[in-house]
Amino acid sequence: MQPGDRVRVDRGDVTNEGVLLPSTTRDHLVVKLDGGYNVGIDRDEADVELLESGARDVDEGADAGGGEASEITFDDDLPTISLISTGGTIASTVDYRTGAVTAQFDAEDVLRAVPDLAGRANYRGRVVANILSENMEPPIWRELAEAVREEIAAGADGVVVMHGTDTMQYSASALSFMLDSPVPIVFTGSQRSADRPSSDNVMNAVCAVEAAKADHAETLVCMHATQSDDACALHRGTRVRKNHTSRRDAFETVGAEPLGRIDYEAAAEAGADGDAADAAIEWAREPIARGDGDDADLSAATDLDADVELVKFTPGMDPAAWDYLNEKDGVVIEGTGLGHVHTDLIPRIEELVEGGTVVAMTSQCLAGRVCDRVYDTGRDLLDAGVVEAGDTLPGTAKVKLMWALANLSDPAEAMGRDLAGELTEESQPWR
């Protein structure tokens, strides 16, 4: 039997029929079922019957889905896009011994896995990390920011960061504060791995590259706008939140419509036509303008103070749970409603502030801003030294405080004003 042969595999009471694919081990068979899914089967426990030789042309060097290797070309008429990989589902494959998805592709593997990217740009690829995003840490944010800075300084016209979706919003926030970029920085990933027929990796990757070619200088998250394969939403990195565990349109801009929307059909047809990248995008609000010539300087401040915690107040929580906050440089609280905690905790918070900790208040609500001037509890919190973070998202507020503590002379004051599109200055529809 050879990859590309159609086989029937019996194992116990289960029968699978499909096309044999290349396997990373001799001990396991990988079969693509007619429905599009791949399965891994222990060779020693299976009876295999050859149904048809050469039923499909399968490239041994291609990904497990049978895609063709993409040609990486360099053309003076094309923009240069840097693909930076940190791991995640968009750069992952399935370990058929365990059924687990593991991050193991580098940036050039992604180009081979998504041949639709070929001919759209000149690509440079580099790997900053090869992790699932739950393992992301502030030191890697710094490495990522430095890598992006180096790529832009070397002439990249845009950067696409391939990232796991679970913590993408934190990393996008970090780069939004750390870099004042003259070119687009676009985060993308996929909710579903490439072996699944409902995978979103190709559409997200294509839209992200086209967004990175377009005429703006935003740090964005580019993911499915709906469950259909019609468009990707472009979310500002400091205002986005993953609001569903598994849907392809899991990401939402909180408090407003996404900053923009990119039509997939138009983006897919754009190819090497640089103008078509902009034609595929409909902006809901005016984006930050792309730098030009002498204005294309990249300002970077990549220091972070990682001694910051995000704590969620819940009714009945043990005050002793706050003991670990002693001597922290910063604490962000997810309070209830307008920004409240149990009144018994206020003296504890005051002790933190008196000890030198910057304590910022956010809300557990998905939209709206904190206002601790309405009820007595809020006024007492302000008297205790808590600073209001307005409508900044709690996760974004944590990253912002890390950055502010390391880079600004008055980080407490900075938590109350907008630095990177994370905070509205007044209570009105978000712009």
Side-chain angles (χ1 to χ4, degrees), residues 6-9 15-19 31-35 39 51:
R6 187 169 186 82
V7 297
R8 178 183 292 119
V9 182
T15 297
N16 296 117
E17 185 174 315
V19 175
V31 178
K32 178 170 284 294
L33 307 180
D34 292 338
V39 296
L51 300 179

Side-chain angles (χ1 to χ4, degrees), residues 369-423:
R369 68 198 301 112
V370 299
C371 183
D372 282 316
R373 293 168 176 80
V374 178
Y375 298 101
D376 286 344
T377 298
R379 293 177 179 273
D380 290 341
L381 284 165
L382 292 176
D383 289 340
V386 169
V387 295
E388 297 174 305
D391 61 349
T392 307
L393 303 181
T396 299
K398 177 180 179 177
V399 177
K400 178 180 179 178
L401 186 51
M402 286 181 177
W403 184 85
L405 284 164
N407 294 279
L408 301 179
S409 60
D410 191 348
E413 179 274 336
M415 295 304 293
R417 61 182 172 90
D418 179 51
L419 301 179
E422 79 284 357
L423 170 64

Side-chain angles (χ1 to χ4, degrees), residues 129-178:
N130 196 7
I131 60 173
L132 297 173
S133 74
E134 56 266 30
N135 296 325
M136 184 60 66
E137 295 178 330
I140 305 178
W141 291 338
R142 293 194 64 186
E143 292 179 33
L144 178 58
E146 289 293 345
V148 171
R149 183 191 64 77
E150 290 171 5
E151 291 297 309
I152 296 172
D157 297 299
V159 177
V160 172
V161 179
M162 294 166 289
H163 197 291
T165 60
D166 282 358
T167 62
M168 186 188 295
Q169 65 203 55
Y170 293 90
S171 298
S173 287
L175 263 64
S176 297
F177 294 116
M178 297 164 85

